[in-house]
Amino acid sequence: MESRPLPPGQQLAARGKWPQVGEATPSDLPPDAAATWQIDVAGLIAAPRSWSLDDLRRLPRAERPIDIHCVTRWSKPAVRFTGVLLADLLAEVGVNAEAKFISFIAHSTRNHDTSLPIADALALGTLIAWEVEGEPLAVDHGGPVRVVVPKRYFYKSLKWLRTIRLLERDALGFWEREAGYHNTADPWLQQRYMAPALSRLEVRAVLKSRNFAGRELRSIDCRGHDLAGLNAAGAILRDADFRECPLAAADFTGANLSNARFAGAHLQAATFVGADVEGADFAGCDLRGCDFRGASLFGSTFRANNPSHPTRFDAATRFDAVTIEALMPEEQSFVREHVQQL
Ligand SMILES: Nc1nc2c(c(=O)[nH]1)N[C@H]1C(S)=C(S)[C@@H](COP(=O)(O)O)O[C@H]1N2
Ligand SMILES: [Mo]
């Protein structure tokens, strides 16, 4: 396959591997879900209507190779999805002139949703898809029917699509609300997160306390602060910046550190047990005695880019044989090479 450049900060998943991300597969789908599935199109349209999969199949069939870019830094190029273009479906329902946004809502215990400006969704070639690589879409990956939005981080591609709602004003989606994920989500512009939640004053106070336990501190900038012995158990630290920080013996047990930046940090004897470090960067860190057991490692990076500041491990650095399989191929072999017990 010809290789195209990846968006900045992304790495290739192993060929044939497709991680399942987000909420768990719904446990209440009948085995024949595809036969009974209905998609409701509602909101600012001429007349609300439900569509079965067979109804959708009567519309023009579209097949597209689409690059998957997960916000936690793994990509999977040219995945062949088949379905109907959103444009062709909307042409059937007749969208009112005042509708500006489109909200996709899932079959989901938390009413998972996401949204886009209608103009963007159409211009990007959004697909309502029920097949991948010529096979019915597996339930784990959003079957019977999911949304696939090309050229956006994959959190815009809603699984288990149930309702399409046309709106005058935007309805912020689940990850955009709960995780602070960027509402535009262009991977070429690295639009991963919205602006941080805290003021500078609040940030200064919490840094001084060295107690982040249980707090929501998305995108916090910790650079230049001595945080040795930090208590960050259970803290929400997505996109946090810890580059070069002294963090010996810090406790990140159960913290959410997805996409956090640790490059060059001193993490001797720090613990990440049960933490989410998906997409986090540990290049050039001192990881002697560091504990990553039970951590979620999808898309995280350990290889140093500067040979004079290598990532350091020792016999006390701990990883799980199982969780380490979530690392992308080159990262996985690098860590295995350096950590004895694997
Ligand atoms: N219903 C639903 N759709 C969802 C999510 C979710 O949690 N629930 N997560 C999103 C995220 S963050 C990603 S990266 C992709 C993952 O799709 P996959 O599991 O097929 O890789 O689904 C997106 N769609
Ligand atoms: Mo994602």
Side-chain angles (χ1 to χ4, degrees), residues 190-266:
Q190 289 218 68
Q191 292 172 326
R192 297 178 197 270
Y193 292 91
M194 317 276 218
L198 288 191
S199 73
R200 282 181 59 182
L201 242 121
E202 291 169 303
V203 167
R204 206 177 305 161
V206 75
L207 282 168
K208 211 170 153 212
S209 75
R210 292 195 205 187
N211 184 3
F212 294 6
R215 296 199 55 177
E216 155 71 272
L217 298 168
R218 167 169 53 84
S219 303
I220 190 172
D221 184 356
C222 301
R223 283 173 304 165
H225 292 267
D226 182 352
L227 293 171
L230 174 73
N231 176 6
I236 310 296
L237 291 161
R238 298 173 196 270
D239 192 42
D241 196 345
F242 291 104
R243 282 175 293 171
E244 314 281 337
C245 283
L247 279 161
D251 181 3
F252 290 103
T253 305
N256 189 320
L257 290 154
S258 56
N259 289 315
R261 289 157 286 172
F262 283 99
H266 303 271

Coordinates of all heavy atoms in Angstrom, one line a residue, residues 190-266:
Q190 N -4.5 19.2 14.7 CA -4.4 18.7 16.1 C -5.4 19.3 17.0 O -5.1 19.7 18.2 CB -3.0 18.8 16.7 CG -2.0 17.9 16.0 CD -0.9 17.4 17.0 OE1 -1.2 16.6 17.9 NE2 0.3 17.9 16.8
Q191 N -6.6 19.4 16.6 CA -7.7 19.9 17.5 C -8.2 18.8 18.4 O -9.3 18.2 18.1 CB -8.8 20.5 16.6 CG -8.4 21.7 15.9 CD -9.4 22.2 14.8 OE1 -10.1 21.4 14.2 NE2 -9.5 23.5 14.7
R192 N -7.4 18.5 19.4 CA -7.8 17.4 20.3 C -8.6 17.9 21.5 O -9.6 17.2 21.9 CB -6.5 16.7 20.9 CG -5.6 16.1 19.8 CD -4.3 15.5 20.4 NE -3.3 15.3 19.4 CZ -3.2 14.1 18.7 NH1 -4.0 13.1 19.0 NH2 -2.3 14.0 17.8
Y193 N -8.3 19.0 22.1 CA -9.0 19.5 23.3 C -9.4 20.9 23.2 O -8.8 21.7 22.5 CB -8.1 19.3 24.5 CG -7.8 17.9 24.9 CD1 -6.8 17.3 24.3 CD2 -8.7 17.2 25.7 CE1 -6.5 15.9 24.6 CE2 -8.5 15.9 26.0 CZ -7.4 15.2 25.4 OH -7.2 13.9 25.7
M194 N -10.5 21.3 23.9 CA -10.9 22.7 24.0 C -10.0 23.3 25.0 O -9.1 22.7 25.7 CB -12.3 22.8 24.6 CG -13.3 21.8 24.0 SD -14.0 22.5 22.6 CE -15.7 21.9 22.8
A195 N -10.1 24.6 25.3 CA -9.3 25.3 26.2 C -9.4 24.7 27.6 O -10.4 24.2 27.9 CB -9.7 26.8 26.2
P196 N -8.4 24.9 28.5 CA -8.4 24.3 29.8 C -9.6 24.9 30.6 O -10.1 26.0 30.4 CB -7.1 24.8 30.5 CG -6.3 25.5 29.4 CD -7.1 25.6 28.2
A197 N -10.0 24.1 31.7 CA -11.2 24.5 32.5 C -10.9 25.5 33.6 O -11.8 26.2 34.0 CB -11.8 23.2 33.0
L198 N -9.6 25.6 34.0 CA -9.3 26.4 35.2 C -8.7 27.7 34.9 O -8.0 27.9 33.9 CB -8.3 25.6 36.1 CG -8.8 24.4 36.9 CD1 -7.8 24.0 37.9 CD2 -10.2 24.7 37.6
S199 N -8.9 28.7 35.8 CA -8.2 30.0 35.7 C -6.7 29.8 36.1 O -6.4 28.9 36.8 CB -8.9 31.0 36.6 OG -8.5 30.7 37.9
R200 N -5.9 30.8 35.8 CA -4.5 30.8 36.2 C -4.3 30.7 37.7 O -3.4 30.1 38.2 CB -3.7 31.9 35.5 CG -3.4 31.7 34.1 CD -2.7 32.9 33.5 NE -1.4 33.1 34.1 CZ -0.6 34.1 33.8 NH1 -0.9 34.9 32.8 NH2 0.5 34.3 34.4
L201 N -5.1 31.5 38.4 CA -5.0 31.5 39.8 C -5.3 30.2 40.5 O -4.6 29.7 41.4 CB -6.0 32.6 40.4 CG -5.3 33.7 41.1 CD1 -5.7 35.0 40.4 CD2 -5.7 33.7 42.6
E202 N -6.4 29.6 40.0 CA -6.7 28.2 40.5 C -5.6 27.2 40.2 O -5.3 26.4 41.1 CB -8.0 27.7 39.9 CG -9.3 28.5 40.3 CD -10.5 28.1 39.4 OE1 -10.4 28.3 38.2 OE2 -11.5 27.7 40.0
V203 N -5.0 27.4 39.1 CA -3.9 26.5 38.7 C -2.7 26.7 39.6 O -2.1 25.7 40.1 CB -3.5 26.7 37.2 CG1 -2.2 26.0 36.9 CG2 -4.6 26.2 36.3
R204 N -2.4 27.9 39.9 CA -1.3 28.2 40.8 C -1.5 27.5 42.2 O -0.6 26.9 42.7 CB -1.0 29.7 40.9 CG 0.4 30.0 41.2 CD 0.7 31.5 41.3 NE 0.3 32.2 40.1 CZ 0.0 33.5 40.0 NH1 0.1 34.3 41.1 NH2 -0.3 34.1 38.8
A205 N -2.7 27.7 42.7 CA -3.0 27.2 44.0 C -2.9 25.6 44.1 O -2.3 25.0 45.0 CB -4.3 27.6 44.5
V206 N -3.4 25.0 43.0 CA -3.4 23.5 43.0 C -2.0 23.0 42.8 O -1.6 22.0 43.4 CB -4.4 23.0 42.0 CG1 -4.0 23.1 40.6 CG2 -4.8 21.5 42.4
L207 N -1.2 23.7 42.1 CA 0.2 23.3 41.9 C 1.0 23.4 43.2 O 1.8 22.5 43.5 CB 0.9 24.2 40.8 CG 0.5 23.8 39.3 CD1 1.0 24.9 38.4 CD2 1.1 22.5 38.9
K208 N 0.8 24.4 43.9 CA 1.5 24.6 45.2 C 1.1 23.5 46.2 O 1.9 23.1 47.0 CB 1.1 26.0 45.7 CG 2.2 26.6 46.5 CD 2.0 28.1 46.9 CE 2.7 28.4 48.1 NZ 2.0 29.4 48.9
S209 N -0.2 23.1 46.2 CA -0.6 22.1 47.1 C -0.1 20.7 46.9 O -0.1 19.9 47.8 CB -2.1 22.0 47.1 OG -2.6 21.4 46.0
R210 N 0.4 20.5 45.6 CA 0.8 19.1 45.2 C -0.3 18.1 45.5 O 0.1 16.9 45.7 CB 2.1 18.7 45.9 CG 3.3 19.5 45.4 CD 4.6 18.9 45.7 NE 5.7 19.9 45.8 CZ 6.9 19.7 46.0 NH1 7.4 18.4 46.1 NH2 7.8 20.6 46.0
N211 N -1.5 18.5 45.6 CA -2.6 17.6 45.8 C -3.6 17.7 44.7 O -4.4 18.6 44.7 CB -3.2 17.8 47.1 CG -4.3 16.7 47.4 OD1 -4.5 15.8 46.6 ND2 -4.9 16.8 48.5
F212 N -3.5 16.8 43.7 CA -4.5 16.9 42.5 C -5.5 15.8 42.7 O -6.4 15.6 41.8 CB -3.7 16.5 41.2 CG -2.7 17.5 40.7 CD1 -2.3 18.6 41.5 CD2 -2.1 17.4 39.5 CE1 -1.3 19.5 41.0 CE2 -1.2 18.2 39.0 CZ -0.8 19.3 39.8
A213 N -5.5 15.1 43.8 CA -6.3 13.9 43.9 C -7.8 14.1 43.6 O -8.4 15.0 44.1 CB -6.2 13.3 45.3
G214 N -8.3 13.3 42.6 CA -9.7 13.4 42.3 C -10.2 14.6 41.6 O -11.3 14.8 41.3
R215 N -9.3 15.5 41.2 CA -9.7 16.8 40.6 C -9.7 16.8 39.1 O -9.0 16.0 38.5 CB -8.8 18.0 41.1 CG -8.9 18.1 42.6 CD -8.4 19.5 43.0 NE -9.1 20.6 42.4 CZ -8.8 21.9 42.6 NH1 -8.0 22.2 43.6 NH2 -9.4 22.8 42.0
E216 N -10.5 17.6 38.5 CA -10.6 17.8 37.1 C -9.6 18.9 36.7 O -9.9 20.1 37.0 CB -12.0 18.1 36.7 CG -12.2 18.9 35.4 CD -11.9 18.1 34.1 OE1 -10.8 18.0 33.7 OE2 -12.9 17.5 33.6
L217 N -8.5 18.5 36.0 CA -7.5 19.5 35.7 C -7.0 19.4 34.3 O -5.8 19.5 34.0 CB -6.3 19.3 36.7 CG -6.6 19.5 38.2 CD1 -5.5 19.0 39.1 CD2 -6.9 21.0 38.5
R218 N -8.0 19.2 33.4 CA -7.6 19.0 32.0 C -6.7 20.1 31.5 O -6.9 21.3 31.8 CB -8.9 19.0 31.2 CG -8.8 19.1 29.7 CD -10.1 18.8 29.0 NE -11.2 19.6 29.5 CZ -11.5 20.8 29.1 NH1 -10.7 21.4 28.2 NH2 -12.6 21.4 29.5
S219 N -5.7 19.7 30.7 CA -4.8 20.6 30.0 C -4.0 21.5 31.0 O -3.4 22.5 30.5 CB -5.6 21.5 29.0 OG -6.3 20.7 28.1
I220 N -3.9 21.1 32.2 CA -3.1 21.9 33.2 C -1.6 22.0 32.7 O -1.1 21.0 32.3 CB -3.2 21.4 34.6 CG1 -2.6 22.4 35.6 CG2 -2.6 20.0 34.8 CD1 -2.9 22.0 37.1
D221 N -1.0 23.1 32.8 CA 0.4 23.3 32.5 C 1.2 23.3 33.7 O 1.2 24.3 34.5 CB 0.6 24.7 31.7 CG 2.0 24.8 31.2 OD1 2.9 24.0 31.5 OD2 2.2 25.8 30.5
C222 N 2.0 22.2 33.9 CA 2.8 22.0 35.2 C 4.3 22.3 34.9 O 5.1 22.1 35.8 CB 2.6 20.6 35.7 SG 0.9 20.2 36.0
R223 N 4.6 22.7 33.7 CA 6.0 22.9 33.4 C 6.7 23.9 34.4 O 6.1 24.9 34.7 CB 6.2 23.3 32.0 CG 6.1 22.2 31.0 CD 6.1 22.7 29.6 NE 5.1 23.7 29.4 CZ 5.0 24.5 28.4 NH1 6.0 24.4 27.4 NH2 4.1 25.4 28.3
G224 N 7.9 23.5 34.8 CA 8.7 24.4 35.7 C 8.4 24.3 37.2 O 8.9 25.0 38.0
H225 N 7.5 23.3 37.5 CA 7.1 23.1 38.9 C 7.7 21.8 39.4 O 7.7 20.8 38.7 CB 5.6 23.1 39.1 CG 5.0 24.5 38.8 ND1 4.7 25.4 39.8 CD2 4.6 25.1 37.6 CE1 4.2 26.5 39.3 NE2 4.2 26.3 37.9
D226 N 8.1 21.9 40.7 CA 8.6 20.7 41.3 C 7.5 19.9 41.9 O 6.8 20.4 42.9 CB 9.7 21.0 42.4 CG 10.2 19.8 43.1 OD1 9.7 18.7 42.8 OD2 11.2 19.9 43.9
L227 N 7.1 18.8 41.4 CA 6.0 18.0 41.8 C 6.3 16.6 42.4 O 5.5 15.7 42.3 CB 5.0 17.9 40.7 CG 4.3 19.2 40.2 CD1 3.5 19.0 38.9 CD2 3.4 19.8 41.3
A228 N 7.6 16.6 42.9 CA 8.0 15.3 43.5 C 7.0 14.9 44.6 O 6.5 15.8 45.4 CB 9.4 15.4 44.1
G229 N 6.5 13.7 44.7 CA 5.6 13.2 45.7 C 4.2 13.6 45.5 O 3.3 13.5 46.3
L230 N 3.9 14.2 44.3 CA 2.5 14.6 43.9 C 1.5 13.5 44.2 O 1.7 12.4 43.9 CB 2.5 15.0 42.4 CG 1.1 15.3 41.9 CD1 0.7 16.7 42.3 CD2 1.2 15.3 40.3
N231 N 0.4 13.9 44.8 CA -0.8 13.0 44.9 C -1.8 13.4 43.8 O -2.4 14.4 43.9 CB -1.4 13.1 46.3 CG -2.7 12.2 46.4 OD1 -3.0 11.5 45.5 ND2 -3.4 12.4 47.5
A232 N -1.8 12.5 42.8 CA -2.8 12.7 41.7 C -3.7 11.5 41.5 O -4.2 11.3 40.4 CB -2.0 13.1 40.4
A233 N -3.9 10.8 42.5 CA -4.8 9.6 42.4 C -6.1 10.0 41.9 O -6.7 10.9 42.5 CB -4.8 8.9 43.7
G234 N -6.6 9.3 40.9 CA -8.0 9.6 40.4 C -8.2 10.9 39.7 O -9.3 11.3 39.4
A235 N -7.1 11.7 39.5 CA -7.3 13.0 38.9 C -7.6 12.9 37.4 O -7.2 11.9 36.8 CB -6.1 13.9 39.2
I236 N -8.3 13.9 36.9 CA -8.5 13.9 35.4 C -7.5 14.9 34.8 O -7.6 16.1 35.0 CB -10.0 14.5 35.1 CG1 -11.0 13.7 35.9 CG2 -10.3 14.4 33.6 CD1 -11.1 12.2 35.6
L237 N -6.5 14.3 34.2 CA -5.4 15.1 33.7 C -5.2 14.9 32.2 O -4.0 14.9 31.7 CB -4.1 14.7 34.5 CG -4.2 15.1 36.0 CD1 -3.2 14.3 36.8 CD2 -3.9 16.6 36.1
R238 N -6.3 14.8 31.4 CA -6.1 14.7 30.0 C -5.3 15.9 29.5 O -5.6 17.0 29.9 CB -7.5 14.7 29.3 CG -8.4 13.6 29.7 CD -9.8 13.9 29.1 NE -10.8 13.1 29.7 CZ -11.2 11.9 29.2 NH1 -10.6 11.3 28.2 NH2 -12.1 11.2 29.8
D239 N -4.4 15.6 28.5 CA -3.7 16.7 27.8 C -2.8 17.5 28.8 O -2.3 18.6 28.4 CB -4.7 17.6 27.1 CG -4.1 18.6 26.2 OD1 -3.2 18.2 25.4 OD2 -4.6 19.8 26.1
A240 N -2.6 17.1 30.0 CA -1.8 17.9 31.0 C -0.4 17.9 30.5 O 0.1 17.0 29.8 CB -1.9 17.3 32.4
D241 N 0.3 19.0 30.8 CA 1.7 19.1 30.4 C 2.7 19.0 31.6 O 2.7 19.9 32.4 CB 1.9 20.5 29.7 CG 3.2 20.6 28.9 OD1 4.1 19.7 29.1 OD2 3.3 21.5 28.1
F242 N 3.4 17.9 31.7 CA 4.4 17.6 32.8 C 5.8 17.6 32.2 O 6.6 17.0 32.9 CB 4.0 16.3 33.4 CG 2.8 16.2 34.2 CD1 1.7 15.6 33.7 CD2 2.7 16.8 35.5 CE1 0.5 15.5 34.5 CE2 1.5 16.7 36.3 CZ 0.4 16.1 35.8
R243 N 6.0 18.1 31.0 CA 7.3 17.9 30.4 C 8.4 18.4 31.4 O 8.3 19.5 31.9 CB 7.4 18.6 29.1 CG 6.7 17.8 28.0 CD 6.6 18.6 26.7 NE 5.8 19.7 26.8 CZ 5.7 20.7 25.8 NH1 6.4 20.6 24.8 NH2 4.9 21.7 26.0
E244 N 9.5 17.6 31.5 CA 10.7 17.9 32.3 C 10.4 18.0 33.8 O 11.3 18.4 34.6 CB 11.4 19.2 31.9 CG 11.5 19.4 30.4 CD 12.7 18.6 29.8 OE1 13.7 18.3 30.6 OE2 12.7 18.3 28.6
C245 N 9.2 17.8 34.3 CA 8.9 18.0 35.7 C 9.6 17.0 36.6 O 9.6 15.8 36.3 CB 7.4 17.9 36.0 SG 6.5 19.4 35.4
P246 N 10.0 17.4 37.8 CA 10.4 16.5 38.9 C 9.1 15.9 39.4 O 8.3 16.6 39.9 CB 11.1 17.3 39.9 CG 11.4 18.6 39.2 CD 10.3 18.8 38.2
L247 N 9.0 14.5 39.3 CA 7.8 13.8 39.7 C 8.1 12.5 40.4 O 7.3 11.6 40.4 CB 6.9 13.6 38.5 CG 6.0 14.7 37.9 CD1 5.6 14.4 36.5 CD2 4.8 14.9 38.8
A248 N 9.3 12.5 41.1 CA 9.6 11.2 41.7 C 8.6 10.9 42.7 O 8.0 11.7 43.4 CB 11.0 11.4 42.4
A249 N 8.2 9.6 42.8 CA 7.3 9.0 43.7 C 5.9 9.6 43.6 O 5.0 9.5 44.5 CB 7.8 9.2 45.2
A250 N 5.6 10.2 42.5 CA 4.2 10.7 42.3 C 3.2 9.6 42.2 O 3.5 8.5 41.7 CB 4.1 11.6 41.0
D251 N 2.0 9.8 42.7 CA 1.0 8.8 42.7 C -0.1 9.2 41.7 O -0.9 10.1 41.9 CB 0.4 8.7 44.1 CG -0.7 7.6 44.1 OD1 -0.9 6.9 43.1 OD2 -1.3 7.5 45.2
F252 N -0.1 8.5 40.5 CA -1.2 8.7 39.5 C -2.1 7.5 39.4 O -2.8 7.3 38.4 CB -0.5 8.9 38.1 CG 0.3 10.1 37.9 CD1 1.7 10.2 38.0 CD2 -0.4 11.3 37.7 CE1 2.4 11.3 37.8 CE2 0.3 12.5 37.5 CZ 1.7 12.5 37.6
T253 N -2.3 6.8 40.5 CA -3.2 5.6 40.5 C -4.6 6.0 40.0 O -5.2 6.9 40.5 CB -3.3 5.1 42.0 OG1 -2.0 4.8 42.5 CG2 -4.1 3.8 42.0
G254 N -5.0 5.2 39.0 CA -6.4 5.4 38.5 C -6.6 6.8 37.9 O -7.8 7.1 37.6
A255 N -5.6 7.6 37.6 CA -5.8 8.9 37.0 C -6.1 8.8 35.5 O -5.7 7.8 34.9 CB -4.6 9.8 37.2
N256 N -6.8 9.8 35.0 CA -6.9 9.8 33.5 C -5.9 10.8 32.9 O -6.0 12.0 33.1 CB -8.3 10.2 33.1 CG -8.6 10.1 31.6 OD1 -7.7 10.4 30.8 ND2 -9.7 9.6 31.2
L257 N -4.9 10.2 32.2 CA -3.8 11.0 31.7 C -3.8 10.9 30.2 O -2.7 10.9 29.6 CB -2.5 10.5 32.3 CG -2.3 10.8 33.8 CD1 -1.4 9.8 34.5 CD2 -1.8 12.2 33.9
S258 N -4.9 10.7 29.5 CA -4.9 10.5 28.1 C -4.3 11.7 27.4 O -4.7 12.9 27.8 CB -6.2 10.0 27.5 OG -7.2 10.9 27.8
N259 N -3.4 11.5 26.5 CA -2.7 12.5 25.8 C -1.8 13.5 26.7 O -1.4 14.5 26.2 CB -3.6 13.4 24.9 CG -4.1 12.6 23.8 OD1 -3.4 11.9 23.1 ND2 -5.4 12.6 23.5
A260 N -1.6 13.1 27.9 CA -0.7 13.9 28.8 C 0.7 13.9 28.2 O 1.2 12.9 27.6 CB -0.7 13.4 30.2
R261 N 1.5 15.0 28.4 CA 2.8 15.1 28.0 C 3.8 15.0 29.1 O 3.8 15.9 30.0 CB 3.0 16.4 27.2 CG 2.3 16.3 25.8 CD 2.0 17.7 25.3 NE 0.8 18.3 26.0 CZ 0.4 19.5 25.9 NH1 1.0 20.3 25.0 NH2 -0.6 20.0 26.6
F262 N 4.6 13.9 29.2 CA 5.6 13.8 30.3 C 7.0 13.8 29.8 O 8.0 13.6 30.5 CB 5.4 12.4 30.9 CG 4.2 12.3 31.8 CD1 3.0 11.7 31.4 CD2 4.3 12.7 33.1 CE1 2.0 11.6 32.3 CE2 3.2 12.6 34.0 CZ 2.1 12.1 33.6
A263 N 7.3 14.1 28.5 CA 8.6 14.0 27.9 C 9.7 14.6 28.8 O 9.5 15.8 29.2 CB 8.6 14.6 26.5
G264 N 10.7 13.9 29.1 CA 11.8 14.4 29.9 C 11.5 14.4 31.4 O 12.3 14.9 32.2
A265 N 10.3 14.0 31.9 CA 10.0 14.1 33.3 C 10.8 13.0 34.1 O 11.2 12.0 33.6 CB 8.5 13.9 33.5
H266 N 10.9 13.4 35.4 CA 11.6 12.5 36.3 C 10.6 11.7 37.1 O 10.0 12.3 38.0 CB 12.6 13.3 37.2 CG 13.5 14.1 36.4 ND1 14.8 13.6 36.0 CD2 13.4 15.3 35.8 CE1 15.4 14.5 35.3 NE2 14.6 15.5 35.1

